């Protein structure tokens, strides 16, 4: 890509921005170290860069010093794929009538498609080096990008609260197992949560704030720590169930599906598996902006998606089929298996592993997105740490346990916002890969000059919005109107394809685009 000379102190304007309070990391390169994060300090904003669009957390990452290698990306998936929510979804397929090989096939199909989508999304982050609120400026404009960022962040912050609540439920089981005298504290209700529930929720809430306050590098380290623990724990649970059954498990229920109904369920399950990751596919660049190469993205995705998902499917078959053999009923979650463990010591270890898992999932899937969203909306006053605290407070004050227990909220609010993610993805991918052929002027992503590449019309690309709106309406109708329940599982795909087709039809594809890297305004990626 076209190189521009690095900025030095003499070329900086007199605007200043407070950077994230993460660890200082020297590179030995004075030109790079001049714009490295230093705790509690400010650095000049480079010439031509708008303070309304740039700070140390929104800046592109330097090529030197990137740490999100293949193992780091693999552990993202090692944690996220094995989330309690995913297990509940997958075990539900057993209850719906899919047997062992049908579940394995459904997840293999979903994994192959996800692998392709995540590579497309991940390559963008690795090449451009910017977080999602900045990346979406390419298609939607420097101000229009706030729309996709708010939608993505809005979905995430609600799920942050809900996942913290789910983890707190496991912590309550753990505390009562260790100290049975605490049981009376779990019998009252304050705003819908018991005293022990509040204690458990707030403890995990604070733990997550502390981890995130140290930035993306600490999140990477936590994911790397949690990944092996989760894989070993889930394998141990499956082996324990397998031993309990004497090596004989049910591969299907008595009401298993056959023929056309079976194949419809398999393909719809594969599609829903992709929809579950529709949020993450959109902002995967938040993580791959720290990847040293496309090869690391592909390798991390390969072992983390197809390979790991088949392992996950195998665990699901053993847990659900084994439990069905033992008591004739289908469990709802691995938590049901954990609670049934007769040994207190092993119960405690399993509960701790599930808590570690849920925190890992929450950090990557539901905490990073709203942090970058808020930082993008208020770059002059918010850095990564401050945005993290505000995101966490929002996740608390919405009383997520009440939302989780409300089908209306889950189906209509979160389902509706989720349906919008497909059309957003379609526009962004079509613009980057098919219209621009991957050519991006990174410096222009931070310019409010009316003649700049991504200024469009007052900062909004009306063609992107024009493609998004009709596709979003179709996706919402398919996802929420009961009459379309048969195809509701495909709403993400339909919305994505429709928005991409509309955008390609109305976009100006005859323009010449140029590629300019962002090294001259980049920061070392340890923030």
């Amino acid at each position: 890509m076209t190189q521009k000379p690095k900025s030095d102190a003499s070329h900086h304007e007199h605007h200043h921005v407070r950077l994230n309070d993460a660890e200082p990391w020297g590179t030995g390169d004075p030109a790079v170290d001049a714009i490295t994060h230093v705790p509690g300090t400010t650095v000049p904003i480079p010439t031509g860069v708008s303070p309304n669009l740039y700070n140390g957390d929104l800046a592109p990452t330097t090529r030197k010093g990137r740490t999100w290698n293949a193992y780091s990306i693999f552990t993202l998936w090692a944690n996220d794929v094995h989330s309690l929510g995913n297990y509940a979804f997958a075990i539900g397929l057993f209850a719906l009538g899919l047997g062992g090989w049908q579940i394995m096939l459904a997840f293999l199909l979903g994994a192959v498609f996800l692998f392709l989508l995540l590579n497309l999304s991940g390559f963008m982050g690795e090449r451009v080096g910017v977080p999602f609120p900045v990346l979406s400026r390419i298609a939607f404009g420097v101000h229009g990008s706030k729309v996709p960022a708010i939608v993505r962040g809005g979905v995430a912050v609600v799920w942050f609260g809900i996942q913290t609540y789910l983890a707190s439920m496991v912590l309550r089981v753990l505390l009562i197992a260790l100290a049975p005298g605490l049981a009376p504290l779990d019998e009252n209700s304050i705003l819908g949560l018991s005293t022990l529930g509040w204690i458990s929720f707030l403890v995990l809430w604070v733990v997550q704030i502390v981890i995130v306050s140290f930035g993306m590098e600490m999140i990477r380290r936590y994911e790397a720590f949690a990944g092996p623990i989760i894989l070993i724990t889930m394998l141990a649970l499956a082996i324990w169930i397998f031993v309990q059954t004497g090596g004989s498990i049910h591969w299907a229920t008595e009401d298993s599906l056959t023929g056309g109904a079976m194949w419809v369920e398999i393909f719809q399950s594969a599609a829903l598996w992709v929809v579950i990751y529709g949020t993450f596919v959109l902002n995967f660049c938040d993580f791959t902006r720290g990847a040293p190469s496309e090869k690391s993205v592909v390798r991390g995705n390969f072992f983390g998606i197809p390979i790991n998902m088949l392992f996950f499917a195998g665990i699901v078959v053993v847990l659900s089929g084994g439990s069905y053999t033992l008591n004739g009923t289908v469990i709802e979650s691995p938590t049901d298996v954990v609670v049934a463990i007769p040994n207190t010591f092993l119960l405690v270890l399993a509960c701790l592993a599930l808590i570690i898992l849920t925190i890992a999932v929450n950090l990557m899937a539901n905490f990073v997105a709203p942090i970058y969203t808020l930082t993008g909306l208020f770059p002059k006053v918010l850095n990564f740490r401050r945005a993290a605290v505000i995101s966490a407070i929002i996740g608390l004050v919405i009383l997520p346990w009440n939302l989780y227990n409300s089908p209306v909220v889950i189906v209509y609010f979160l389902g509706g916002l989720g349906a919008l993610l497909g059309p957003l993805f379609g526009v962004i991918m079509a613009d980057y890969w098919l219209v621009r052929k991957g050519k991006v002027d990174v410096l222009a992503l931070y310019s409010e000059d009316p003649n700049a590449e991504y200024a469009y019309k007052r900062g909004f690309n009306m063609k992107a919005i024009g493609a998004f709106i009709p596709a979003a309406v179709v996706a919402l109708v398919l996802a929420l109107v009961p009459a379309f329940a048969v195809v509701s599982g495909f709403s993400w795909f339909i919305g994505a394809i429709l928005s991409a087709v509309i955008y390609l039809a109305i976009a100006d594809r005859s323009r010449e685009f140029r590629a300019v890297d962002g090294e001259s305004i980049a920061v070392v990626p340890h923030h």
Side-chain angles (χ1 to χ4, degrees):
M1 297 198 300
T2 303
Q3 298 287 328
K4 289 213 168 185
K6 296 184 185 294
S7 301
D8 56 46
S10 65
H11 292 151
H12 290 159
E13 292 180 349
H14 297 295
H15 301 294
H16 289 76
V17 57
R18 185 180 181 84
L19 290 183
N20 177 331
D21 299 325
E23 311 101 312
W25 304 75
T27 67
D29 182 346
V32 174
D33 287 344
I35 47 178
T36 301
H37 284 217
V38 179
T41 64
T42 59
V43 297
I45 290 183
T47 301
V49 168
S50 168
N52 294 318
L53 301 173
Y54 179 97
N55 67 16
D57 298 301
L58 299 175
T61 53
T62 58
R63 278 283 163 191
K64 186 174 183 179
R66 293 187 178 188
T67 56
W68 283 82
N69 55 28
Y71 177 75
S72 300
I73 293 172
F74 161 73
T75 54
L76 283 182
W77 305 126
N79 292 308
D80 195 59
V81 168
H82 292 270
S83 73
L84 295 181
N86 285 351
Y87 271 105
F89 165 71
I91 290 170
L93 300 181
F94 190 82
L96 287 174
L98 290 185
W101 73 267
Q102 292 102 324
I103 291 175
M104 299 284 282
L105 178 58
F107 281 95
L108 177 61
L109 292 173
V112 169
F113 201 75
L114 262 178
F115 175 70
L116 298 174
L117 292 179
L118 285 167
N119 283 338
L120 287 176
S121 179
F123 289 170
M124 293 169 64
E126 187 274 336
R127 292 180 182 185
V128 184
V130 299
F132 177 68
V134 177
L135 189 75
S136 55
R137 292 173 187 171
I138 301 170
F140 284 88
V142 292
H143 298 311
S145 60
K146 294 180 173 63
V147 175
I150 290 172
V151 172
R152 174 63 185 103
V155 173
V157 78
V158 175
W159 277 115
F160 163 76
I162 289 174
Q163 289 282 359
T164 302
Y165 165 63
L166 294 177
S168 73
M169 293 173 66
V170 179
L171 180 56
R172 283 154 64 185
V173 171
L174 172 60
L175 292 175
I176 292 174
L178 291 174
L182 294 175
L185 294 178
D186 205 28
E187 297 172 358
N188 63 333
S189 179
I190 305 171
L191 296 177
L193 205 58
S194 68
T195 300
L196 186 61
W198 272 102
I199 293 171
S200 301
F201 183 92
L202 290 175
V203 165
L204 297 178
W205 184 78
V206 170
V207 166
Q208 291 175 94
I209 293 177
V210 171
I211 294 172
V212 169
S213 69
F214 288 95
M216 290 295 288
E217 179 64 12
M218 182 59 73
I219 293 175
R220 185 188 70 81
R221 293 177 182 180
Y222 183 86
E223 300 293 332
F225 152 75
I229 292 176
I230 299 318
L231 295 176
I232 293 170
T233 300
M234 291 306 177
L235 180 60
L237 284 178
I239 292 173
W240 183 71
I241 284 285
F242 192 74
V243 171
Q244 293 291 307
T245 64
S248 176
I249 65 172
H250 275 71
W251 279 80
T253 64
E254 295 175 358
D255 302 319
S256 58
L257 297 174
T258 58
M262 176 192 73
W263 287 106
V264 168
E265 190 63 45
I266 288 174
F267 285 113
Q268 182 144 308
S269 298
L272 285 172
W273 192 232
V274 177
V275 171
I276 288 173
Y277 283 87
T279 53
F280 215 143
V281 167
L282 200 60
N283 73 304
F284 191 32
C285 60
D286 288 344
F287 303 89
T288 59
R289 66 190 294 237
S293 66
E294 290 182 3
K295 182 179 179 181
S296 62
V297 175
V298 173
R299 290 179 63 194
N301 283 343
F302 177 74
F303 288 102
I305 299 298
I307 303 300
N308 184 38
M309 282 186 177
L310 285 178
F311 174 73
F312 167 84
I315 298 293
V316 167
V317 171
V318 173
L319 291 182
S320 51
S323 297
Y324 191 77
T325 298
L326 290 174
N327 52 39
T329 59
V330 179
I331 61 172
E332 295 182 358
S333 165
T335 307
D336 297 339
V337 176
V338 170
V339 172
I341 295 175
N343 184 292
T344 302
F345 176 70
L346 296 178
L347 171 66
V348 169
L349 289 181
C351 284
L352 285 173
L354 293 184
I355 291 169
I356 290 170
L357 162 65
T358 308
I359 289 176
V361 172
N362 224 13
L363 292 176
M364 60 181 283
N366 302 316
F367 213 168
V368 170
I371 290 172
Y372 277 129
T373 295
L374 288 172
T375 306
L377 292 174
F378 309 103
K380 291 182 178 179
V381 295
L382 293 182
N383 60 14
F384 197 92
R385 178 175 290 178
R386 295 186 192 126
V389 173
I390 293 173
S391 298
I393 290 173
I394 295 172
L396 170 63
V397 299
I398 61 175
L399 305 180
W401 46 90
N402 292 330
L403 299 181
Y404 181 70
N405 294 320
S406 170
V408 173
V409 171
I410 295 295
V411 172
Y412 290 101
F413 176 69
L414 290 176
L417 283 178
L420 300 179
L421 300 177
L424 289 174
F425 181 79
V427 171
I428 291 171
M429 292 294 116
D431 180 75
Y432 181 86
W433 290 106
L434 301 178
V435 175
R436 298 179 182 277
K437 304 294 193 297
K439 295 180 179 179
V440 176
D441 183 344
V442 178
L443 301 182
L445 291 171
Y446 302 92
S447 174
E448 289 184 292
D449 186 323
N451 297 315
E453 175 74 16
Y454 310 107
Y456 295 109
K457 187 175 182 180
R458 297 182 180 178
F460 292 82
N461 182 4
M462 300 310 297
K463 291 183 177 180
I465 294 172
F468 166 71
I469 291 176
V473 170
V474 171
L476 284 172
V477 170
L478 295 179
L480 303 179
V481 176
F484 296 99
V486 176
V487 294
S488 62
F490 301 99
S491 61
W492 189 94
F493 290 95
I494 295 171
I497 293 171
L498 184 58
S499 66
V501 169
I502 296 174
Y503 187 72
L504 290 175
I506 62 178
D508 183 0
R509 303 174 66 180
S510 62
R511 289 180 53 200
E512 287 291 328
F513 299 100
R514 64 174 188 156
V516 180
D517 69 31
E519 285 288 323
S520 62
I521 61 169
V523 298
V524 177
H526 292 284
H527 59 289

